[in-house]
Amino acid sequence: MILVTGGAGFIGSNFVRDWLARSDEPVLNLDALTYAGHPDNLAAVRDDPRHLFVHGDIRDRALLDALLASHRPRAVLHLAAESHVDRSIAGPAAFIGSNVVGTGVLLEAVLAHWRTLPAPDREAFRFLHVSTDEVYGDLPPDAPPATEDHPYAPSSPYSASKAAADHLVQAWHRTYGLPVLTTHSSNNLGPRQFAEKLVPRMIAQALAGRPLPLYGDGLQQRDWLDVADHCAALRRVLEAGRPGRRYNVGSGHSRSNLALVQALCTLLDQLRPDPAGPHARLIGFVADRPGHDRRYALDTRRIRTELGWAPQVPFDTALARTLRWYLDHPERLAAAPPAGP
């Protein structure tokens, strides 16, 4: 059995569904079901006997101890996190509580569990921590992509909280010998993402004929990765990653936010034409947010050469598939907060 934290969220639920579609190994899924965790994300596996869902918080040490003792997972995949930058600017305390304190409590519980295992099981055990490219901070336009050895330079409370969690994970490896793995992912595209994030939010705005506001000039560069490719990377890192090692997971499909929204508008013009005119007419610009990083880019040679992973889904395919999913599930856009003037 494996334990997945945050398995009702966007990446977590996609991973759980993907894992159970490819493996008979059971999943113990722990999620607090905060605003971004949606029970319907797990509808397809709700009655699967290999999927055990537990509603709980990673800061609940007693719960963690009980789950680890009774189910004795061979691996923990830690995906539970607060992840929205705008929310972190408005209320950083929740991010510190979940991402820093929560990770610390989870590490303490996992270490205690790991120490009870027989020697062969201790050797095989893995703790996989899922992090972000944002911990590397803002890259200059002409700088090479960040390797796993790039200095940390987080800009937002969100990325700072993830950086702190990363350091805790590495400390538990260095000090206690816990066999940890860390991945740094770029922006994900795919179904079941909470509607406040850029892509579903822009879809909701466009379908309602409301403005599509972009921060600053909209030319912030991001790497976009299909969530299915991310899930494949996590499986591969869990399978063959070297304990203590960090792995960047990206697609190389770099787009500005403006280019991304323009591509989305073009697809919407084809699939849901607006009698009022092209959806791109709705694009506008608003004051930039504080500390907004201009560019993220990842060097993914380590995971490609050491583990043989490479992304399989082209950007255009990922974007079109994401849009079609939301068009088929309009109720999932209802949570998108209105944006723009």
Side-chain angles (χ1 to χ4, degrees):
M1 173 177 281
I2 63 171
L3 166 61
V4 176
T5 71
F10 168 42
I11 297 171
S13 64
N14 277 283
F15 178 83
V16 168
R17 292 162 63 105
D18 186 71
W19 180 270
L20 293 174
R22 297 171 181 272
S23 170
D24 289 330
E25 186 172 14
V27 174
L28 174 61
N29 183 353
L30 176 64
D31 197 291
L33 292 181
T34 57
Y35 70 95
H38 203 298
D40 286 351
N41 288 343
L42 301 166
V45 296
R46 187 172 291 138
D47 299 322
D48 191 322
R50 299 168 300 159
H51 177 240
L52 176 60
F53 179 78
V54 176
H55 182 196
D57 195 307
I58 57 172
R59 290 170 288 187
D60 185 341
R61 177 63 189 271
L63 174 62
L64 292 175
D65 287 344
L67 292 175
L68 291 166
S70 59
H71 297 285
R72 301 180 68 79
R74 69 171 181 91
V76 174
L77 287 87
H78 180 33
L79 293 99
E82 293 279 347
S83 64
H84 190 50
V85 174
D86 285 357
R87 278 184 183 264
S88 80
I89 294 171
F95 288 71
I96 296 168
S98 179
N99 299 354
V100 184
V101 176
T103 299
V105 174
L106 179 64
L107 283 166
E108 286 189 303
V110 169
L111 178 63
H113 163 69
W114 177 69
R115 285 173 165 169
T116 69
L117 299 176
D121 293 342
R122 281 201 309 273
E123 183 68 23
F125 186 87
R126 296 292 183 267
F127 180 95
L128 173 51
H129 171 59
V130 180
S131 188
T132 171
D133 58 358
E134 297 194 33
V135 298
Y136 300 129
D138 201 6
L139 297 181
D142 56 350
T147 70
E148 290 85 354
D149 298 320
H150 193 279
Y152 276 35
S155 300
S156 70
Y158 160 62
S159 57
S161 70
K162 291 296 288 185
D166 293 359
H167 291 316
L168 289 173
V169 170
Q170 289 303 121
W172 257 245
H173 175 69
R174 179 74 180 267
T175 301
Y176 305 114
L178 186 68
V180 306
L181 302 155
T182 300
T183 56
H184 298 278
S185 168
S186 59
N187 286 28
N188 279 218
L189 281 169
R192 303 176 189 90
Q193 190 172 34
F194 187 63
E196 71 184 352
K197 294 299 184 74
L198 178 63
V199 171
R201 193 179 191 191
M202 292 297 104
I203 294 171
Q205 291 285 113
L207 291 175
R210 297 194 297 257
L212 306 179
L214 294 171
Y215 283 129
D217 58 9
L219 298 183
Q220 301 85 2
Q221 295 284 322
R222 301 291 185 263
D223 179 286
W224 291 93
L225 174 71
D226 188 88
V227 70
D229 279 333
H230 190 184
C231 291
L234 295 179
R235 291 196 312 273
R236 184 60 184 149
V237 171
L238 180 63
E239 177 184 43
R242 187 191 312 174
R245 203 78 157 145
R246 298 190 289 127
Y247 296 92
N248 288 341
V249 183
S251 68
H253 303 316
S254 182
R255 299 287 190 283
S256 70
N257 289 342
L258 175 59
L260 172 74
V261 175
Q262 288 172 332
L264 192 59
C265 286
T266 299
L267 286 170
L268 277 166
D269 290 342
Q270 298 167 6
L271 298 174
R272 290 287 176 86
D274 185 345
H279 287 90
R281 78 187 191 281
L282 301 171
I283 296 175
F285 303 92
V286 296
D288 211 350
R289 75 180 175 208
H292 199 178
D293 290 333
R294 192 70 172 171
R295 173 177 174 251
Y296 302 136
L298 290 175
D299 183 322
T300 59
R301 283 176 293 180
R302 176 176 292 177
I303 192 171
R304 291 170 184 262
T305 57
E306 290 187 10
L307 304 185
W309 173 89
Q312 303 298 311
V313 184
F315 170 81
D316 292 341
T317 301
L319 186 63
R321 187 159 63 191
T322 300
L323 172 59
R324 289 190 178 95
W325 189 87
Y326 282 104
L327 292 178
D328 290 340
H329 298 83
E331 73 282 359
R332 297 301 298 271
L333 296 172

